[in-house]
Amino acid sequence: MRALYPGSFDPLTLGHLDLIERGCSLFGEVVIAVLQNPGKSPTFSLDQRLEQITQATSHLQGVTVTSFNGLTVNCAREHHAQLILRGLRAMSDFEYELQIAHTNRSLDSEFETIFLSTAAHYSFLSSSVVKEVARFGGRVEHMVPSVVAEDLKRFFNSAL
Ligand code: ADP
């Protein structure tokens, strides 16, 4: 099966990567779809995020990296995915994730959303926490793939 894993990935964390690896073992194929949301102003450009993800997943078979605009279900259809993959870290994710899953099913009942619970040791990780730590010069090597750690350092050093 092919699962679509949509998200902002601004930037990719080891929590995301863990989900991708487990998604690959479960479903065989994972299409990582990076949201190009003109409403949000991301820290990393779309091209940077695509490059980070491509490098960080190069050891995995069955991964495709793409970008999308607009509705997730349209992206899932375009890529012939059968499932939408999302992650749950804590109860605080649940309400939001459930709302999106219901919305997507109301738009197209063909697609089921499958939730994987986060690896416990990555459950504190979010892209915004990582950026907050990096902004103040903290160590992020245990939170993000090395390519992202380097980009974070470069980004916050140049912002000084
Ligand atoms: P979005 O803006 O769509 O929420 P994110 O990049 O923040 O995009 O997250 C994409 C998906 O990955 C969401 O389902 C989120 O719950 C999940 N996720 C985020 N961080 C982690 C983590 N540390 N472990 C597992 N899943 C995570």
Side-chain angles (χ1 to χ4, degrees):
M1 289 188 111
R2 183 177 295 159
L4 184 85
Y5 183 30
S8 310
F9 307 108
D10 186 34
L12 183 83
T13 70
L14 291 180
H16 292 128
L17 189 57
D18 171 67
L19 220 75
I20 294 163
E21 286 168 350
R22 287 156 61 208
C24 280
S25 329
L26 280 169
F27 310 119
E29 287 184 46
V30 174
V31 178
I32 306 167
V34 184
L35 180 64
Q36 185 188 9
N37 185 345
K40 283 189 184 177
S41 47
T43 303
F44 292 107
S45 69
L46 179 65
D47 283 347
Q48 280 176 306
R49 285 178 282 154
L50 291 171
E51 182 57 31
Q52 291 164 351
I53 299 170
T54 303
Q55 281 195 36
T57 58
S58 62
H59 62 294
L60 293 172
Q61 282 194 344
V63 167
T64 316
V65 188
T66 188
S67 63
F68 76 111
N69 244 321
L71 297 177
T72 303
V73 287
N74 289 347
C75 181
R77 201 176 304 114
E78 198 179 307
H79 289 277
H80 308 286
Q82 292 82 37
L83 304 168
I84 296 169
L85 174 64
R86 296 284 290 180
L88 286 176
R89 282 163 294 190
M91 276 304 285
S92 47
D93 281 340
F94 184 77
E95 219 169 312
Y96 172 68
E97 291 293 340
L98 195 65
Q99 187 182 21
I100 300 180
H102 284 316
T103 305
N104 286 335
R105 250 178 85 74
S106 79
L107 292 171
D108 195 331
S109 58
E110 190 186 328
F111 301 110
E112 290 288 354
T113 300
I114 302 288
F115 298 103
L116 288 184
S117 58
T118 175
H121 53 286
Y122 293 140
S123 61
F124 67 102
L125 279 184
S126 67
S127 300
S128 34
V129 159
V130 163
K131 284 186 279 194
E132 221 33 39
V133 173
R135 180 193 309 277
F136 297 110
R139 205 169 54 82
V140 291
E141 281 74 7
H142 59 304
M143 301 181 183
V144 292
S146 52
V147 55
V148 174
E150 281 161 28
D151 283 354
L152 280 166
K153 257 180 227 150
R154 210 170 301 123
F155 179 85
F156 287 111
N157 280 341
S158 68
L160 285 178

